[in-house]
Amino acid sequence: MVKNITIFTTNTCAYCAMVKRYLDSKQRTYDVVNLDDHPERQAEALALSGALTVPITVVTKEDDSRQVVIGYNLAKLAPAITG
Amino acid sequence: MTQDIPMHDVVMVGAGPAALSAAVYTTREDVDTLLFERGVVGGLAAVTDKVDNYPGFPDGIEGLTLADNLRKQAERFGAVIELGEVSGMKREGDFIRLETTSGDILARAVLIATGSDYKKVGVSGEQEFYARGVHYCATCDGAFYRGKRLVVIGGGNSAVQESLFLTRYATHIDLLVRSTIKASEILQKDLEQAVKAGKITVHLHTTTDEIVGQDNKVVKVVGTDTKTRSKVDFPTDGVFVFVGLKPNSEFLKNSEVELDSIGFIKTDKHLQTSMPGVFAAGDIRSGSTMQIATAVGEGATAALVIREYLDGKLTPVAETTEEVVVPTV
Ligand SMILES: Cc1cc2nc3c(=O)[nH]c(=O)nc-3n(C[C@H](O)[C@H](O)[C@H](O)COP(=O)(O)OP(=O)(O)OC[C@H]3O[C@@H](n4cnc5c(N)ncnc54)[C@H](O)[C@@H]3O)c2cc1C
């Protein structure tokens, strides 16, 4: 079971809009960390993903385990938010 | 068994400006239309920072906003956009069968508007540091380079436009250009300003040979000045690559659709391909001028022609276009 979902985004990132669109279509709620508004949280996004890119989607499960999806990747995002 | 397979009047492959524009026209005429999009709805227009030359927006418009507006307009009339990929296509009686990530579907007509994707430079370090120092989308990843140095590779419109965008984050950009700058005059003027302001240094006749990392980070690009034949090091925190585009037509390799020598789709004057009932519009079409305005125009034309085709009124034209030199992007 998914406990919460956080997406790291920027203002100009089109793939971030696609992740939100996909989660909306699956009636999932999520928090957004906009790195243009919060550049101090870039290091956190990097530490979680190992990547200098957005979107980074962090799916936290009920047992506090985490799944991190880099980019707009439906093959990874779809299974991450189910189960 | 065809009767179990979903059927549509028109399936559009891609949901960039060309297909979204076509969908506005087909759906307004109640033609049942399904679009497949494997990436971003709005296509390359959505990942472009600012579009200054799309008519109707005197102050320019953000690419993402334009893309979103195009999507909303198509959806308002009933276009359905499925997030998925088309991987193959063949004729089946009066229909065209498309293989997709959501299973097979049948269409009476197909519009291919798959545009193109960024090419890689093909040097050592490029794959290894992908998304960790090597990038292909400035609007996605530029924000990670606030106060840092960058190298941008390329000399066409995209490379210059994206370098200018990246100056909002980076302290300095080395622009490595294999031969000479081939961007539009207006972009070249903006580039001159940025060079004068010390934000960008242009290195003409400079090839990119290697992207070098240390401690898991990109630290420099090694190039060659082809005039002096000397190796040059460009210390950097990251690299953005804009060395041209390759057509998204791999999924047509085993189909009846004829491609030109680069992989763009040949069409006749009705935008119909060599496979009857299959049309192409926008950047993927051989001879396209690779602009949003022209993609939108071709999308509208294709939609009107498809309606004629569905009504059985389109007279087939055998010959396809001559191969055309593709403009640099
Ligand atoms: C950096 C940059 C800046 C630009 N700036 C400008 C500008 O200022 N003004 C201007 O007019 N033009 C500009 N352009 C060009 C413009 O973006 C394109 O001409 C336009 O987007 C072409 O539209 P299209 O619909 O033909 O293709 P695209 O926009 O490329 O859309 C094609 C879509 O098809 C999808 N697709 C591909 N294959 C498949 C498949 N097998 N299954 C499902 N979906 C698939 C892709 O994911 C993509 O979303 C720029 C381009 C770039 C790269």
Side-chain angles (χ1 to χ4, degrees):
Chain A
M1 284 288 284
V2 173
K3 189 154 95 183
N4 60 56
I5 302 173
T6 303
I7 316 170
F8 289 84
T9 69
T10 62
N11 293 330
T12 52
C13 159
Y15 295 93
C16 301
M18 290 305 294
V19 169
K20 290 180 197 166
R21 185 184 161 92
Y22 178 73
L23 294 177
D24 289 340
S25 76
K26 300 289 166 199
Q27 281 97 40
R28 293 289 183 176
T29 54
Y30 47 85
D31 297 319
V32 174
V33 179
N34 185 324
L35 295 178
D36 279 322
D37 299 337
H38 298 283
E40 74 283 358
R41 295 191 66 178
Q42 265 180 28
E44 189 186 331
L46 175 61
L48 282 162
S49 64
L52 293 161
T53 191
V54 281
I56 298 293
T57 309
V58 183
V59 182
T60 308
K61 301 283 169 76
E62 283 297 350
D63 63 2
D64 284 332
S65 65
R66 270 181 184 158
Q67 219 166 325
V68 178
V69 180
I70 301 170
Y72 170 62
N73 182 340
L74 282 188
K76 292 201 170 141
L77 192 59
I81 63 157
T82 47
Chain B
M1 286 285 287
T2 35
Q3 49 274 49
D4 301 332
I5 301 174
M7 286 184 197
H8 298 274
D9 285 336
V10 188
V11 169
M12 299 186 181
V13 191
L20 289 170
S21 157
V24 169
Y25 278 75
T26 53
T27 52
R28 276 192 87 212
E29 307 241 347
D30 277 338
V31 175
D32 152 43
T33 306
L34 177 71
L35 295 88
F36 265 87
E37 175 52 63
R38 71 175 181 193
V40 177
V41 175
L44 282 181
V47 295
T48 301
D49 167 39
K50 188 159 180 209
V51 179
D52 256 337
N53 54 0
Y54 187 72
F57 297 93
D59 302 319
I61 180 166
E62 283 172 1
L64 195 51
T65 309
L66 177 61
D68 210 38
N69 286 346
L70 285 168
R71 173 189 65 78
K72 283 185 192 145
Q73 195 173 359
E75 286 182 337
R76 176 157 73 95
F77 297 116
V80 176
I81 305 173
E82 178 111 15
L83 302 180
E85 181 164 4
V86 173
S87 53
M89 207 173 68
K90 61 175 187 248
R91 174 153 300 284
E92 191 157 305
D94 289 340
F95 290 91
I96 294 137
R97 182 192 273 253
L98 296 110
E99 287 162 32
T100 82
T101 39
S102 320
D104 284 9
I105 48 171
L106 294 173
R108 290 174 65 208
V110 171
L111 176 65
I112 304 173
T114 47
S116 30
D117 263 343
Y118 289 111
K119 269 192 202 157
K120 303 223 153 79
V121 234
V123 296
S124 130
E126 187 176 18
Q127 188 59 39
E128 186 187 347
F129 290 104
Y130 173 68
R132 296 185 300 120
V134 177
H135 308 267
Y136 303 85
C137 177
T139 53
C140 310
D141 305 338
F144 286 90
Y145 293 93
R146 265 188 199 86
K148 305 237 161 110
R149 272 185 88 94
L150 282 175
V151 163
V152 173
I153 304 170
N157 282 329
S158 303
V160 173
Q161 190 170 344
E162 300 304 281
S163 297
L164 293 167
F165 170 77
L166 288 166
T167 57
R168 72 168 73 170
Y169 300 114
T171 49
H172 182 266
I173 293 170
D174 285 303
L175 179 61
L176 311 194
V177 187
R178 196 176 49 179
S179 53
T180 53
I181 297 276
K182 294 194 178 66
S184 67
E185 245 173 66
I186 187 144
L187 281 174
Q188 295 206 37
K189 281 205 179 113
D190 291 345
L191 178 63
E192 268 169 41
Q193 295 293 322
V195 169
K196 271 192 199 137
K199 291 180 171 176
I200 299 179
T201 306
V202 180
H203 305 271
L204 299 180
H205 307 288
T206 303
T207 57
T208 303
D209 306 338
E210 192 184 354
I211 296 166
V212 182
Q214 206 180 331
D215 301 331
N216 230 1
K217 276 186 187 156
V218 166
V219 291
K220 68 175 176 183
V221 172
V222 181
T224 301
D225 178 331
T226 54
K227 290 223 151 150
T228 61
R229 291 174 193 271
S230 51
K231 287 270 178 200
V232 193
D233 280 359
F234 299 97
T236 190
D237 297 300
V239 183
F240 282 79
V241 180
F242 303 103
V243 292
L245 299 164
K246 62 174 174 46
N248 287 324
S249 58
E250 319 79 46
F251 74 106
L252 297 170
K253 269 197 185 120
N254 299 318
S255 77
E256 284 171 49
V257 174
E258 198 184 336
L259 307 178
D260 69 15
S261 59
I262 307 169
F264 291 95
I265 299 173
K266 291 185 175 189
T267 57
D268 65 17
K269 66 177 182 183
H270 297 308
L271 305 187
Q272 188 164 214
T273 70
S274 53
M275 184 171 176
V278 178
F279 300 77
D283 282 12
I284 191 62
R285 204 179 63 77
S286 182
S288 148
T289 47
M290 302 227 167
Q291 291 294 301
I292 299 167
T294 52
V296 162
E298 288 187 13
T301 304
L304 296 172
V305 175
I306 285 171
R307 195 192 54 191
E308 297 276 291
Y309 173 82
L310 292 174
D311 289 346
K313 290 185 197 149
L314 187 69
T315 41
V317 179
E319 91 283 8
T320 48
T321 51
E322 292 296 306
E323 210 163 294
V324 183
V325 178
V326 182
T328 329
V329 178

